[in-house]
Each structure stands twice: as structure tokens, then as C-alpha cells.
Amino acid sequence: MHIRGWTVRAAGLPMVLDDREETPLPGDAIVEVAGCGVCHTDLGFYYEGVPTRHGFPLVLGHEISGVVVGAGAEAQAWLGRKVVVPAVTPCGRCEACRDGRGAICPEQVFPGSDIHGGFATHVRVPARGLCPVPNLEDAAVNRAGLALSDLSVIADAVSTPFQAIRRSGLAAGELAVFVGAGGVGGFGVQIAAALGAAVVAVDVNDARLAAISLHGASLTLRGDLLDTKALKSKIRTFAGERGIPSWRYRIFETSGTPAGQATAFSLLAKGAYLSIVGYTGKKVELHLSSVMAFDATVQGNWACLPELYPEVVDLVLSGKVALSPFVEHRPMATINETFAEIHAQGAPRRVILVPER
Amino acid sequence: MHIRGWTVRAAGLPMVLDDREETPLPGDAIVEVAGCGVCHTDLGFYYEGVPTRHGFPLVLGHEISGVVVGAGAEAQAWLGRKVVVPAVTPCGRCEACRDGRGAICPEQVFPGSDIHGGFATHVRVPARGLCPVPNLEDAAVNRAGLALSDLSVIADAVSTPFQAIRRSGLAAGELAVFVGAGGVGGFGVQIAAALGAAVVAVDVNDARLAAISLHGASLTLRGDLLDTKALKSKIRTFAGERGIPSWRYRIFETSGTPAGQATAFSLLAKGAYLSIVGYTGKKVELHLSSVMAFDATVQGNWACLPELYPEVVDLVLSGKVALSPFVEHRPMATINETFAEIHAQGAPRRVILVPER
């Protein structure tokens, strides 16, 4: 199959539209891309020297939705299906996968790092992880009235906080604090609120905090303007008013910055839980013994297992997690300007690049 | 009841033998001390300004075994029983306790911090957490031939790593790494080996490593002489030879030092688990995002719930965990010299102070 993809020939150089041919191997699907979201991780690969596993030249992009238009042996049943492509597809066969540890499968496939990604007309991926999309024409299912391209951002920005929240054991009536209310953290706020948690969002950007206060955050705080003591005090008061003890605090670091990590760690309290969802290559100075003194837990979260995707799709289609106010569509041909713009000034909404037909 | 205790009137000043009267309140037991272990935590209170919760003057000491010689209402059944006094006794009634989170009970009682401790003829403690000691005269039970005073060190040095190991989910055939093979870590090595784990001990002291290599550590490494890369490589080789994948690594930080914490954290690998058992007031610089990239878990461990103590007593009496080579008895009147000596040069064996009768 003929594929045209926006190729990074070397980090930071303008991406160029390259042509290639791909043949689906057994178990592979070729997905015609409906949309591909631009993630902080892509900018890390492109601007900050974070290495892709495959190396350049490479097409980036791992938040992909589309239609299966080609399939190898054992994957023919997928032909014609609308799908979300998981950001991470474990192999399903290795020792880690058999132990239920697919997140650390050494054979996992991450489009835009292990293989050519979704900033392209098509992408060739393993069919085994694909998440089928229900009938979007059925208004009873697609209550949010979303297009297939919208669903691309499920494949990281929504699913990653979903798995982190699931793993944290967050339950209704508990406290969820998100440090970083951008692409990932903002959806985290919505998912936690949909579960019935009392949600606090901490960020350095008033516009993001204002937006998320309309979608689940009952308290928004400026992490850069309040010192640790004030921040802790406000959160303790908020929890106290709701009768939530500290061992029901679930804190999510979703900023991927050293300052955010220091803030999130400082919010630990007796019996609390901290999930590290964002990534930064930088170190941070911490009082690690707090974890012992507080009998607390810090857990990392890498992506989301494909088997959890259908629940995430349901949350989004049902409108319990609102996508539309937080995404923006642009023609894929704007990719170089879009990367530069987000790198320079951030993005108020997650950008979905849509290939020209 | 008349009690004579070695009282800290102010941090660092020689402890003096003070007399006091105590009457057991309902639920209280008065334990005649058979032995009281000297812990790193006591030195922290005495020399390093770590605050006790009660403040000085106070009798230190939280590793206590003895005989119940006085009892308040509701605790009469304990009279005459040989017991180990848990270092931490949760209240059993508060919201945290009802949620199974006794370790963070705000009403927990820690002798030698909340109340007068065990460097004394007697100690008054809540009876509810006491661990009954089986008949030490029965050679089938007390296969190790231990004295009641020996069992004092169960109440922290043995029980704390036991709970940390239990919580880590360590199973036979998995890898356990102890960073710090002193009082707590050394017993951790033995417990992990008794569970069938392959055990690595990392320390900065050859004598400690030599001793523990005879009691469960299959590989001993000098953490101060090897750089991180070499240390990781040796541990990976050791695990690889035994077919243990990285998500079955359980690392225990039992040194309570910033250097040990940095080492233990650097040993994290994909899916691994790190338990913070030791305490230091100092900060340490870490690449916290490793927890995310490795889908790893860091969990703190505060003491050991009283309900787990009987299992620990069994491990020790059965000889699966050897106490005798790792403890040393001294008259309690040597307390000031003993503290000074351990503070200055450490102790090759855990010192149990025995009151003069």
C-alpha cells in the first residue's frame, strides 16, 4: 500500500512528506488515518533529543484513529472497521505479557517511536491491540456527536490518565489532585470527576484552570504562585470539608516538569498515593523518606493496556468525558508550523492533525 | 507500680536513672522489661534532633520484650504472659484503623516517642497490641533456644522488614535486594531467603556483608566501591542466571542514608518495586520519571502491624531467621556508653540492653 508520511529526517529539521510502500504482514492492519493528535512526547522526540526507539528518519505520531483498509493474514476480520490505535501495543506472548505486565513488554509497539507513526495518510500497526469504535451514526451510542478523528486523542491523552486512575484505586468520594491540567491532566480531571471523586487541578496557566473548572475540577490552584505550605493547606481544607482523610488522596503528576514533580511529591500525606504520569528527563530533589514516614505509595504509569480502551471510548462517546472543548483540528500539512507553535507557546487545546484527502 | 527508667532530660545529655510511679489504666499492661534493643531511631532522637512526639524528658526504647506484671481493667488476662511489645500499636478504633491502615493511625502508640519506653525496669503500654510469646521451654517450639530478652529485637528490626517484604509481594524465586545490611536490612535478607527469594545485599561494610553471606545473601556487593552501572550490571547478571525478570525485582532501602536511597532508586528497572524502609531527614536528587518510564512502584513502610507479629515470632523461634549471631546483650547500666559507642562507630551486632534485677 502507498503511504505518504511527514518524515523527520533529523531532529528539529522541517518534516517532509515522504512516500513509501508498506505490505501488511500476518497480524498487521493498515489504518487509513482519520486524525493524529500532537503530544508532548512528539515534541520531546523532535526538539529535546529524547530518542525514538527506531531512530530517524521516522514519521512521528502515536494518537491515531482511522479505518482499517488493509490487513495481513489473521487480521482480515478488521477490514473496514473504524478503530483507535493504542499508543502502546504489547506483544501478548512474552513472559511480561503473560504475567499481566504488558506495559513493560520489551516487544511493545509504539507508533512514532518503534515504527512509522500517524502523521501520515496511513499507518501499519499490529491488529491485535486495535480498539473497535462503535457505530458513530447511532446517536444513542455517540451521544457526544464525535467524529472518528476526535477519537484519536483517546490513544494517549485520555487512556493514559484512565489507566493511572484505575491503578490508583480511586473511588467515588475520594480526593484526586492533578498537578498539570494540560492535555493529559485535563482529561484526568474529567475521568476522576466522572468516577465521583472530588477533584483539584493545579497548574501554572489560568486559561487551562478556567477551562477545567467547567469540566470537573472543584478547586483550581496556581502551583507557581502558592508556596508548598499554602498549597497543602488549601488542599487539606478542601478535603477536610468533604470528610476525606489523607489516605484517600490520589495525586497525579501530569505536568512532566521538575517543578510539577516537586509539587506533587510535596503533597504526599499519611497513606496517600502519588502516580507519576508525566515524563521529564530532568532530576528533582526530594525527601524520599517521606514515603516511609507517611506509609505512602508512588507508582509510575506507562501508557494504557489495549484491553482498557473500550471503556475509555465509552466514557468519551457518552459525553462523561468531554473532548470537543479540549481539541482542535488542523490540516496535517500545517504540521511544521503546528509543532513550532506548540513548542514556543504551548497549545490551549490538543491539536489533531487531519490528513488531506 | 514503681518504675526506674533511663531518662533523656535533654537531647545528648547523659541519660539518668529516674524513678516514677505508673498505674495501669483500663486496657493497659505493665511489662517487666526482659530486654530492649537499641535502634538507629533512638540515636536519631538522642543525637540528631529527630523530635520524639512526647518531647523530653522521656525514656527511649521501642524494641521491648518482657512479662506482664500489671494490668488494668479489660487487660487482666495478660497477667503473667511473656510478650513482645510492638514498636507501633495502632488504636484499633479510628477511621484509619477501620480502613486497615493502622500504620498511619493518628492515635498510635510508639514507646520511647509517644510514651516512656523500654530502657527501664518496666513499661506501661496498651495491652491490645501485645504479641504473646509461646512456651520457650518447649524445645519443639523454641528450636533456636532463644531467651525472652532476645525476642525484643523482633519489635522493629525483624518485624519492620517482615511487613515491608510481605507488602512487596515477594515470592519464592524472585529477586530481593537489600541496600543496607545492618540491623533491619540484615534481618530482611534472612526473611527474604526464608521465603525462597534469591537475595543480594549491598552495604559499605565488609564485616556486615561477610556475616550476612552466611545467612541468606547469595551475592554481596560494596555499594560505595562500585558505581551505579557496575552495581546494576552485577545484579542483572545474578538475576539473569536465575531467570528472574526485572518486574520480579524487589528492592529494599534499609540503610536510611541519602547514598543508600540514591543507590536503591538507581536499581529500579522495568516493572520493579522499591520499598523505603530506612529513614533519613536528608533529601536526595532522583530521576523521578524513571518510575513512570519503568512502570515501577515505590512504597514506604512504617513499622509492622501487631497482627503480623506472631508470624515473625515463629520465624525466629523456628530458627528460619537467626537472631543469636546478630545480637549482643549488655547490662542496661551501660546505656550511655553503648549509645556513644554505636553513634561513633556503629555496632557489628544489635545491642539488647538488659535491666539489672
Side-chain angles (χ1 to χ4, degrees):
Chain A
M1 181 143 329
H2 186 74
I3 297 181
R4 305 195 80 191
W6 288 94
T7 307
V8 182
R9 293 194 179 159
L13 287 191
M15 289 171 261
V16 290
L17 205 46
D18 274 349
D19 292 274
R20 66 181 202 276
E21 288 295 323
E22 294 252 24
T23 305
L25 300 175
D28 280 348
I30 291 192
V31 176
E32 185 181 62
V33 176
C36 184
V38 179
C39 177
H40 182 72
T41 306
D42 297 313
L43 300 188
F45 292 145
Y46 188 65
Y47 289 110
E48 293 156 28
V50 178
T52 55
R53 297 216 299 180
H54 175 279
F56 295 131
L58 186 73
V59 176
L60 299 177
H62 56 272
E63 288 192 336
I64 307 163
S65 57
V67 179
V68 177
V69 295
E74 299 151 42
Q76 295 288 316
W78 286 98
L79 275 171
R81 296 294 301 265
K82 292 188 172 72
V83 294
V84 176
V85 181
V88 166
T89 301
C91 79
R93 292 178 303 271
C94 70
E95 195 181 355
C97 284
R98 293 198 311 270
D99 264 11
R101 300 299 303 261
I104 53 167
C105 165
E107 303 298 322
Q108 64 184 237
V109 175
F110 184 105
S113 176
D114 290 299
I115 57 171
H116 286 301
F119 298 130
T121 56
H122 304 77
V123 65
R124 179 171 67 85
V125 292
R128 63 179 177 278
L130 294 174
C131 173
V133 171
N135 180 7
L136 298 179
E137 311 295 312
D138 182 343
V141 170
N142 186 6
R143 274 178 275 165
L146 296 171
L148 180 59
S149 57
D150 292 317
L151 303 187
S152 59
V153 298
I154 285 176
D156 193 0
V158 192
S159 61
T160 296
F162 180 84
Q163 176 173 290
I165 289 167
R166 170 65 60 90
R167 191 180 274 194
S168 78
L170 181 71
E174 296 193 329
L175 177 73
V177 180
F178 288 83
V179 178
V184 170
F187 289 121
V189 167
Q190 291 200 65
I191 295 163
L195 289 173
V199 186
V200 178
V202 180
D203 204 300
V204 296
N205 180 303
D206 279 332
R208 278 206 290 262
L209 290 173
I212 205 63
S213 71
L214 303 174
H215 289 275
S218 301
L219 175 66
T220 60
L221 297 168
R222 279 287 294 262
D224 51 341
L225 301 184
L226 293 164
D227 65 16
T228 301
K229 202 173 158 189
L231 209 57
K232 287 185 84 144
S233 161
K234 282 179 188 295
I235 291 173
R236 205 180 302 119
T237 301
F238 175 85
E241 285 165 359
R242 286 157 182 79
I244 305 170
S246 63
W247 64 92
R248 293 194 181 132
Y249 291 8
R250 309 277 187 261
I251 304 151
F252 299 88
E253 206 304 303
T254 40
S255 79
T257 66
Q261 290 187 340
T263 297
F265 194 89
S266 75
L267 296 177
L268 278 176
K270 282 196 170 184
Y273 175 99
L274 168 61
S275 176
I276 307 297
V277 186
Y279 182 87
T280 167
K282 301 201 178 78
K283 289 187 169 189
V284 59
E285 198 178 46
L286 303 171
H287 183 232
L288 187 62
S289 300
S290 292
V291 177
M292 173 269 193
F294 290 148
D295 207 64
T297 301
V298 180
Q299 197 159 43
N301 182 76
W302 177 256
C304 177
L305 293 176
E307 49 265 43
L308 298 179
Y309 272 63
E311 282 185 76
V312 187
V313 170
D314 280 352
L315 274 176
V316 165
L317 290 181
S318 68
K320 286 180 188 156
V321 169
L323 275 191
S324 301
F326 298 97
V327 299
E328 174 191 344
H329 294 73
R330 296 189 188 180
M332 199 170 274
T334 69
I335 188 166
N336 285 305
E337 303 91 279
T338 294
F339 267 53
E341 181 188 319
I342 301 175
H343 185 236
Q345 65 199 54
R349 302 199 281 179
R350 196 140 184 115
V351 174
I352 297 171
L353 294 177
V354 178
E356 295 78 10
R357 294 276 170 251
Chain B
M1 182 145 327
H2 185 76
I3 297 180
R4 304 195 82 191
W6 288 95
T7 307
V8 181
R9 293 196 178 156
L13 288 190
M15 289 171 263
V16 292
L17 205 47
D18 275 349
D19 293 272
R20 65 181 202 276
E21 289 295 324
E22 294 251 23
T23 306
L25 301 175
D28 278 349
I30 291 191
V31 176
E32 185 181 60
V33 176
C36 185
V38 180
C39 177
H40 181 72
T41 306
D42 297 313
L43 301 187
F45 292 146
Y46 188 65
Y47 289 110
E48 292 157 28
V50 178
T52 55
R53 297 217 301 179
H54 176 278
F56 296 131
L58 186 73
V59 177
L60 299 178
H62 56 271
E63 287 193 336
I64 307 163
S65 58
V67 180
V68 178
V69 295
E74 299 151 43
Q76 295 288 319
W78 287 98
L79 276 169
R81 296 296 300 267
K82 291 188 172 71
V83 295
V84 176
V85 181
V88 165
T89 300
C91 78
R93 293 179 303 270
C94 70
E95 195 182 355
C97 284
R98 292 198 312 271
D99 264 12
R101 301 300 302 261
I104 53 168
C105 165
E107 304 298 322
Q108 64 183 236
V109 175
F110 184 106
S113 176
D114 291 299
I115 58 172
H116 286 302
F119 297 130
T121 56
H122 303 78
V123 65
R124 178 171 68 85
V125 292
R128 65 178 174 278
L130 294 174
C131 174
V133 171
N135 181 7
L136 298 179
E137 312 296 312
D138 182 343
V141 169
N142 185 8
R143 273 177 275 166
L146 296 171
L148 180 58
S149 57
D150 291 317
L151 302 187
S152 59
V153 298
I154 285 176
D156 193 359
V158 193
S159 60
T160 296
F162 180 84
Q163 175 173 289
I165 288 167
R166 171 63 61 89
R167 193 179 274 193
S168 77
L170 181 71
E174 297 193 329
L175 177 73
V177 180
F178 289 83
V179 178
V184 170
F187 289 120
V189 166
Q190 291 200 66
I191 296 164
L195 289 173
V199 186
V200 178
V202 181
D203 204 301
V204 297
N205 181 305
D206 278 333
R208 277 205 291 263
L209 291 174
I212 206 62
S213 70
L214 303 174
H215 290 275
S218 301
L219 175 66
T220 59
L221 298 168
R222 279 287 294 263
D224 52 340
L225 301 184
L226 293 165
D227 65 16
T228 301
K229 203 174 157 188
L231 209 57
K232 288 185 82 144
S233 162
K234 283 179 188 294
I235 291 172
R236 206 180 302 119
T237 301
F238 175 86
E241 285 165 0
R242 286 156 181 79
I244 305 171
S246 63
W247 64 94
R248 292 194 181 134
Y249 291 9
R250 309 277 187 260
I251 304 151
F252 299 89
E253 205 306 303
T254 41
S255 79
T257 65
Q261 290 187 339
T263 297
F265 193 89
S266 75
L267 296 178
L268 278 176
K270 281 196 170 183
Y273 176 98
L274 168 62
S275 177
I276 308 296
V277 186
Y279 182 87
T280 168
K282 301 202 178 77
K283 290 187 169 189
V284 58
E285 198 178 45
L286 304 171
H287 183 231
L288 188 61
S289 301
S290 292
V291 177
M292 174 269 193
F294 290 148
D295 207 62
T297 301
V298 181
Q299 196 160 44
N301 183 77
W302 177 255
C304 177
L305 293 176
E307 50 264 41
L308 298 179
Y309 272 62
E311 282 184 78
V312 187
V313 171
D314 280 352
L315 273 176
V316 165
L317 291 181
S318 67
K320 286 181 188 156
V321 169
L323 276 190
S324 301
F326 298 98
V327 299
E328 173 191 346
H329 293 73
R330 296 189 187 180
M332 200 171 275
T334 69
I335 187 167
N336 285 305
E337 303 90 280
T338 295
F339 267 54
E341 181 188 321
I342 300 176
H343 184 235
Q345 65 199 54
R349 302 199 282 180
R350 197 142 184 114
V351 174
I352 297 171
L353 294 176
V354 178
E356 296 78 10
R357 294 275 170 252

